[in-house]
Amino acid sequence: MEQQLSDIEPRKVFEFFSVLNRIPRGSGNEKAVSDYLVEFASQRGLLAYQDDYNNVTIVKYATAGMEDKDTIILQAHLDMVCVADDGCRKDFTKDPIDAYIDGDYVKARGTSLGADDGIGIAMILAVLDSTDIEHPMIEAVFTAHEESGLAGASVYDVSHLTGKRFINLDSEEENHIVTGCAGGSICDVSLKCKNQKIEGNIYEISIGNLTGGHSGSEIGNGSANANVLMGLLLDQLRNSVEINLGTVQGGTKHNSICESASATVVVRKKHSKALEKCVKAFAESARDEYQKTDPDLTVKCKDKGKGKLEVMSTKDMTKFIALLNLLPNGVFKMSQTAPMVETSSNIAIVAARPKSFNICVSLRSNKEASLGWITSIIRSLSEAYNVQFNCHDTYPAWECDKVSDYARSAQRLYSDMFGRDIGIISIHAGLECGLFAQKIKDLDAISIGPDIHGAHTPAERLSISSTQREWKYLLELLKL
């Protein structure tokens, strides 16, 4: 009989995590989980606020003897990145996450798990549900749309919060306390195209089985981006066999490295063999280049036979392919103060049709100035190619110049509890701490969390033993 999540210690944490797995909560679809939290608070006689954006705040008063301690804000986000393996028919708007236990890990069958940030929510709920955990007054903040540009935190009204100590439970590495993170924005490069119909041999080209990963924490791993590879392949084809382009589709989430992409092209019959040869040579080269990071990489070319295909004009196709090859992707700049990526770009989502194309580029930087720099590069490229540019969902970097006494105390506490040192770092991923630090004067914030591997991919897995330690650690942090 398969072990159930509710059988794992700490039971309350994993019970709540199991409940969350049954509630659809992809970005933009948080109403049900938001309502669940309000009902949770009501059943326990706790004060709760729910705003028009589905952000929820729950207040729990201090336990006996802890009334004089500083109020602590516990914070996690409601939404998850919903991605599935090729062929998985999961409907994230209504189907539950099928979680299971594999040794020390909780995984999901065919999809992302949602431990980012479901396990953070579950820990906070376990504290709020308890009758025997010592804690000061707690203001629990649950935000919506975090995975979509931190939109919920951007509009969150902090006027009813009184706490100055802030614990974000959205980190993915136990051996770090985070006190800084990247800011980011999303840039769309688009064009309305002229179209035509071309007769010839139609081919469907696909690139797949890439490793993918979180576009912040894993952008420096050197793994392949399917959109970038497709751009390279189309450029080679354009220069050797005179193709016409029908469609291109790659990626679904702005914060994930694209794992697969497909395209339809048409060529004259006399160029068919040359196209197939070019694709084969490209596949061999790509597999050789990415043999370590993407060992399962596939490039397929399917002959759909003779027919007419609606395509974009040659002029617009040239612009599209050029931009796909020129827009920055990957590590843009390394930090001058730490061994980490400072500024990066991810060609996340590409959608091209005969009448239009859009290239979505997700930007991150731990320095506001560098974020502006890379944004200006994309704007300049758009202007040079006379296409539309739109920058949106911008959120600030959390720049921490000095480590606080609270962070140092939290560091010592972990070392005393588990007999090993942990670092205080900044990360190249987005956290909502930066937004709350802008809104709440003198906020003293840290971010912690258990080990989560492969976030934003179907390979996402949560360490059970790490969760157990972080739970014990959180309970002691509440007493600091």
Side-chain angles (χ1 to χ4, degrees):
M1 183 175 176
E2 189 173 272
Q3 188 178 10
Q4 301 298 308
L5 263 63
S6 55
D7 296 332
I8 309 172
E9 294 291 347
R11 286 178 179 266
K12 276 295 181 181
V13 172
F14 282 104
E15 282 177 14
F16 285 122
F17 185 58
S18 184
V19 169
L20 292 167
N21 282 340
R22 297 194 292 271
I23 305 174
R25 52 190 178 88
S27 298
N29 187 35
E30 299 102 332
K31 184 66 167 70
V33 69
S34 180
D35 288 345
Y36 165 75
L37 294 180
V38 173
E39 180 62 23
F40 166 93
S42 176
Q43 290 175 355
R44 290 156 180 80
L46 302 175
L47 181 64
Y49 306 91
Q50 183 184 41
D51 67 20
D52 293 339
Y53 301 92
N54 293 316
N55 296 313
V56 175
T57 307
I58 300 175
V59 178
K60 187 179 184 186
Y61 292 107
T63 56
M66 299 287 284
E67 296 90 346
D68 293 334
K69 290 278 189 178
D70 292 336
T71 297
I72 292 180
I73 302 171
L74 297 179
Q75 191 264 323
H77 65 82
L78 298 177
D79 56 329
M80 63 174 284
V81 173
C82 298
V83 288
D85 283 326
D86 291 342
C88 179
R89 297 182 178 274
K90 179 77 68 176
D91 183 347
F92 287 106
T93 65
K94 61 181 182 181
D95 296 337
I97 300 299
D98 188 7
Y100 67 98
I101 300 166
D102 182 7
D104 184 47
Y105 292 102
V106 180
K107 302 178 179 178
R109 290 184 176 88
T111 71
S112 47
L113 174 64
D116 173 13
D117 189 22
I119 197 62
I121 301 171
M123 285 186 177
I124 297 174
L125 292 180
V127 172
L128 296 175
D129 184 62
S130 72
T131 57
D132 58 353
I133 293 173
E134 292 182 75
H135 60 78
M137 181 172 174
I138 291 173
E139 296 169 330
V141 176
F142 304 93
T143 50
H145 278 57
E146 190 270 351
E147 303 289 6
S148 299
L150 282 64
S154 295
V155 298
Y156 184 89
D157 180 4
V158 302
S159 62
H160 57 270
L161 296 179
T162 63
K164 296 292 186 180
R165 285 188 172 181
F166 187 98
I167 302 175
N168 167 279
L169 288 156
D170 189 24
S171 285
E172 296 165 9
E173 292 185 29
E174 179 192 346
N175 63 332
H176 294 139
I177 293 172
V178 179
T179 59
C181 73
S185 62
I186 298 171
C187 295
D188 286 313
V189 177
S190 59
L191 181 69
K192 290 184 178 180
C193 304
K194 293 182 179 179
N195 61 303
Q196 57 186 330
K197 282 193 175 181
I198 297 292
E199 187 171 354
N201 274 34
I202 300 171
Y203 283 88
E204 186 177 282
I205 301 169
S206 62
I207 298 172
N209 292 329
L210 275 62
T211 302
H214 189 293
S215 65
S217 58
E218 296 175 295
I219 197 72
N221 291 351
S223 56
N225 180 313
N227 286 327
V228 173
L229 289 183
M230 185 61 76
L232 289 168
L233 177 53
L234 291 174
D235 189 55
Q236 290 183 17
L237 291 173
R238 181 179 67 88
N239 287 308
S240 59
V241 295
E242 197 176 318
I243 62 167
N244 283 280
L245 184 61
T247 63
V248 178
Q249 184 64 52
T252 59
K253 305 294 180 182
H254 73 86
N255 45 19
S256 294
I257 299 168
C258 181
E259 300 175 21
S260 62
S262 61
T264 55
V265 300
V266 60
V267 296
R268 295 177 184 176
K269 185 176 181 180
K270 66 179 182 179
H271 291 155
S272 294
K273 294 299 181 184
L275 179 141
E276 293 171 10
K277 183 179 179 180
C278 186
V279 173
K280 183 179 179 181
F282 179 86
E284 291 173 355
S285 175
R287 282 193 292 267
D288 180 65
E289 182 176 355
Y290 293 101
Q291 58 183 300
K292 290 186 178 180
T293 58
D294 300 86
D296 300 320
L297 186 155
T298 60
V299 182
K300 298 179 180 179
C301 181
K302 186 175 182 180
D303 187 348
K304 305 290 285 185
K306 187 177 180 180
K308 283 188 176 181
L309 184 69
E310 188 176 4
V311 299
M312 63 177 66
S313 70
T314 301
K315 180 180 178 181
D316 292 334
M317 177 189 71
T318 301
K319 282 186 179 183
F320 169 72
I321 295 175
L323 285 165
L324 205 48
N325 281 276
L326 289 171
L327 287 167
N329 182 80
V331 177
F332 185 75
K333 184 182 178 185
M334 295 297 292
S335 171
Q336 297 288 303
T337 58
M340 60 174 283
V341 177
E342 179 193 282
T343 306
S344 70
S345 176
N346 175 45
I347 299 181
I349 307 170
V350 174
R353 300 289 182 268
K355 295 182 180 180
S356 66
F357 68 74
N358 187 82
I359 303 172
C360 172
V361 188
S362 176
L363 308 179
R364 298 178 190 266
S365 182
N366 292 67
K367 297 291 185 181
E368 290 293 315
S370 293
L371 184 63
W373 179 20
I374 194 170
T375 302
S376 69
I377 290 173
I378 296 177
R379 181 186 294 108
S380 296
L381 276 170
S382 301
E383 291 172 352
Y385 279 87
N386 197 27
V387 298
Q388 296 297 311
F389 169 83
N390 180 37
C391 184
H392 56 95
D393 288 334
T394 299
Y395 57 92
W398 176 24
E399 297 188 48
C400 184
D401 297 326
K402 182 182 178 182
V403 177
S404 71
D405 291 341
Y406 180 47
R408 292 294 185 199
S409 296
Q411 184 184 39
R412 287 192 295 271
L413 174 63
Y414 185 95
S415 179
D416 291 343
M417 289 181 67
F418 303 111
R420 62 182 184 184
D421 294 332
I422 57 172
I424 297 177
I425 66 166
S426 292
I427 60 170
H428 189 64
L431 292 171
E432 291 154 302
C433 303
L435 281 164
F436 282 98
Q438 277 192 344
K439 296 181 179 187
I440 302 174
K441 186 179 180 181
D442 298 325
L443 187 71
D444 202 343
I446 62 173
S447 178
I448 63 170
D451 290 336
I452 300 172
H453 306 281
H456 300 187
T457 78
E460 182 183 3
R461 62 194 190 277
L462 167 69
S463 170
I464 296 169
S465 59
S466 179
T467 303
Q468 291 167 343
R469 287 188 295 272
E470 285 295 275
W471 170 245
K472 293 176 182 177
Y473 180 46
L474 175 62
L475 298 190
E476 294 304 312
L477 276 174
L478 294 177
K479 301 174 189 176
L480 272 184

